[in-house]
Amino acid sequence: MKKYTLGLVLCFLLSSIAFAQKNNQSMSKKYKTAGSIERLDPAINSLIPEGAEIEILASGFDWSEGPLWLESQSALIFSDVPANKIYRWSEKDGLSVYLEPSGYFGERRDKKEPGSNGLTLDNEGNLILCQHGLRQLGKMRSGLENPEETYETLADSWKGNKFNSPNDVVIHKNGGIYFTDPPYGLDPWDEKELEFQGVYRLLDGELKLEIEDLYRPNGVALNPDHSILYVAQSDPEMARYYEYKLSESGEVQEGKILLDVSHLISDERRGLPDGLKVHSSGNVFATGPGGVLVISPIGKILGTILTGQATANCAFDADENYLYMTADMHLMRIKLK
């Protein structure tokens, strides 16, 4: 009887130790790392801790884009534009397909970029998508927990002419939806119906063209109090980030160049101004030459997260513990303070 009891206790202890070891291994899971951090100003140390590494969370994508943190799921979703898919990644579950198709339902198989690009949540928690293939701004009809590939068209044309290919999107606190419309999703056989590449605002069903003089408007973001709209221009001759003051109601007013990075483009520093997000401190994390530039509100580069890849976009988690980055074939992240 004593031997039997002792055996049970021993088995229990061994099982407990094995479980603890497995749990500790899971909690301290190691990912491959890449790249480096270029620190140009001491202020970056208050945003990115010394010793922070760029982790590769998943790989093998055609062109990863549009990262969006879902706080309710402790998960990140992001687009693979050429693959016409949205993926989901979490520390707990790893990688899985979240939506397919994400931006095109037609029969043609020769579209270069048919899928969704920029993703965001509106003020009611609905998933809003820039859909290249459909050339529209769309809304997923189902809830986030049970995604289905059925979409409502929010806007697909300006004065009777089809959009080029809506690219990135951000939501104002009053519900206004700003989105950019460069031509990157168009194929050679598509008819370009607009002579310009616009930045639009959709509010209460009314569409307004806010900016029409940028050659390649791409990423779009708002500062913490929604008084400034940032727009990235992915033109190699004028690789710039712009800032526009907004009225109380969200209308675009005067704008200016925040930063020109044309001189930074090189074979060693691949990538153009693309997606960007604004930290609660007011500093801008903007994809561009070399990876993700950290830019102060007055346009000073504090440093660069050098990913080693052309980097499309980035996103914070709910508490700004991490910055997630879609960098060509990779999904990456870096620890923040």
Side-chain angles (χ1 to χ4, degrees):
M1 188 70 173
K2 290 182 179 179
K3 290 182 179 179
Y4 177 74
T5 302
L6 183 62
L8 284 176
V9 171
L10 185 59
C11 287
F12 175 78
L13 288 173
L14 290 173
S15 297
S16 298
I17 292 170
F19 175 80
Q21 289 176 337
K22 182 178 180 181
N23 190 51
N24 288 336
Q25 288 171 358
S26 176
M27 293 296 289
S28 60
K29 184 175 181 179
K30 292 291 185 181
Y31 298 96
K32 290 182 179 179
T33 60
S36 61
I37 313 301
E38 180 183 57
R39 299 174 186 270
L40 302 177
D41 189 289
I44 196 174
N45 298 328
S46 66
L47 298 166
I48 303 174
E50 293 283 356
E53 295 182 311
I54 303 169
E55 298 177 304
I56 301 174
L57 305 178
S59 295
F61 310 107
D62 291 322
W63 178 250
S64 58
E65 255 284 11
L68 172 66
W69 182 257
L70 302 182
E71 184 176 3
S72 62
Q73 301 183 26
S74 296
L76 187 88
I77 59 174
F78 60 98
S79 303
D80 187 340
V81 188
N84 203 10
K85 297 178 182 179
I86 293 175
Y87 286 94
R88 178 186 184 276
W89 179 91
S90 73
E91 197 84 56
K92 177 184 176 183
D93 302 320
L95 185 72
S96 60
V97 174
Y98 183 77
L99 269 178
E100 182 186 11
S102 65
Y104 180 69
F105 300 89
E107 297 180 356
R108 297 202 67 140
R109 296 291 177 265
D110 56 347
K111 290 190 71 62
K112 294 182 298 181
E113 298 189 2
S116 62
N117 194 315
L119 308 172
T120 194
L121 300 180
D122 67 15
N123 293 347
E124 286 72 49
N126 300 299
L127 180 63
I128 307 300
L129 313 89
C130 291
Q131 297 180 298
H132 271 194
L134 295 172
R135 296 168 70 174
Q136 71 173 24
L137 182 72
K139 178 172 74 173
M140 186 174 71
R141 294 181 183 274
S142 60
L144 298 176
E145 299 296 333
N146 299 291
E148 296 179 2
E149 58 276 13
T150 56
Y151 308 99
E152 174 186 343
T153 299
L154 298 180
D156 62 2
S157 60
W158 172 250
K159 295 185 176 181
N161 296 309
K162 285 286 292 180
F163 289 144
N164 301 309
S165 54
N167 189 283
D168 202 10
V169 58
V170 68
I171 309 291
H172 192 274
K173 58 188 177 184
N174 69 4
I177 306 174
Y178 301 89
F179 63 97
T180 58
D181 187 39
Y184 296 124
L186 294 178
D187 290 285
W189 39 265
D190 280 321
E191 180 183 357
K192 191 179 190 304
E193 299 184 18
L194 293 168
E195 296 180 354
F196 57 89
Q197 287 66 239
V199 180
Y200 298 88
R201 179 171 62 113
L202 180 66
L203 177 63
D204 298 328
E206 181 180 348
L207 183 67
K208 182 180 179 182
L209 176 62
E210 294 283 2
I211 304 168
E212 60 178 307
D213 59 352
L214 297 182
Y215 180 60
R216 287 292 185 269
N218 199 317
V220 63
L222 290 161
N223 73 330
D225 68 1
H226 291 196
S227 63
I228 295 175
L229 179 74
Y230 293 102
V231 182
Q233 175 163 267
S234 51
D235 176 3
E237 303 300 320
M238 294 182 288
R240 296 169 176 171
Y241 308 98
Y242 292 84
E243 66 170 64
Y244 296 86
K245 289 185 178 179
L246 300 180
S247 69
E248 286 292 325
S249 60
E251 294 180 328
V252 173
Q253 299 180 321
E254 69 268 23
K256 66 178 183 180
I257 298 171
L258 174 69
L259 180 67
D260 190 312
V261 293
S262 306
H263 63 289
L264 296 179
I265 300 170
S266 67
D267 292 339
E268 293 73 33
R269 297 200 177 209
R270 290 176 287 168
L272 295 169
D274 200 327
L276 65 166
K277 298 295 187 296
V278 185
H279 190 266
S280 60
S281 63
N283 293 292
V284 182
F285 284 67
T287 61
V292 179
L293 287 72
V294 183
I295 307 168
S296 76
I298 62 171
K300 181 180 182 181
I301 301 176
L302 305 181
T304 302
I305 303 168
L306 297 169
T307 63
Q309 306 292 332
T311 305
N313 211 331
C314 59
F316 303 106
D317 63 9
D319 298 319
E320 297 181 335
N321 289 322
Y322 286 97
L323 178 75
Y324 292 85
M325 300 164 285
T326 47
D328 200 344
M329 78 289 289
H330 299 312
L331 172 65
M332 296 174 148
R333 76 175 178 187
I334 188 167
K335 186 75 174 70
L336 302 179
K337 275 195 173 178

